[in-house]
Amino acid sequence: RFSSLLVGLARQDLDGLWLERIEFADAGASIALIGRTLRAEDVPTFLRRLHREPVFAGRKFRTFQIERDADP
């Protein structure tokens, strides 16, 4: 189960967007993604592409948080 989730994530290759941590809980029912990007506008693109992956279809985000470094 985890391998299909990781394969789906691996297909989402966007220049300037890096996943730094991927956490699975509840047998893959709960997933946390932590990363960085150079362009905030890439986040919605990443999420739309991820949603098109069959293994992620129908999943919803319970929480979503974006933080910005104090020093640009």
Side-chain angles (χ1 to χ4, degrees):
R1 174 91 179 140
F2 295 129
S3 63
S4 61
L5 294 169
L6 290 171
V7 168
L9 283 168
R11 281 194 280 262
Q12 309 315 310
D13 185 22
L14 282 174
D15 287 337
L17 188 139
W18 302 270
L19 290 179
E20 296 178 326
R21 183 181 303 165
I22 302 165
E23 297 177 3
F24 298 111
D26 302 321
S30 177
I31 302 169
L33 303 175
I34 299 168
R36 294 182 182 264
T37 184
L38 297 173
R39 295 175 305 275
E41 61 270 17
D42 286 344
V43 174
T45 300
F46 173 79
L47 296 175
R48 276 192 299 275
R49 288 173 56 181
L50 190 62
H51 184 70
R52 286 192 289 251
E53 286 290 330
V55 71
F56 285 96
R59 290 180 179 259
K60 297 185 189 280
F61 290 98
R62 184 177 4 207
T63 60
F64 187 79
Q65 180 178 340
I66 295 179
E67 295 177 5
R68 183 180 207 141
D69 287 339
D71 296 324

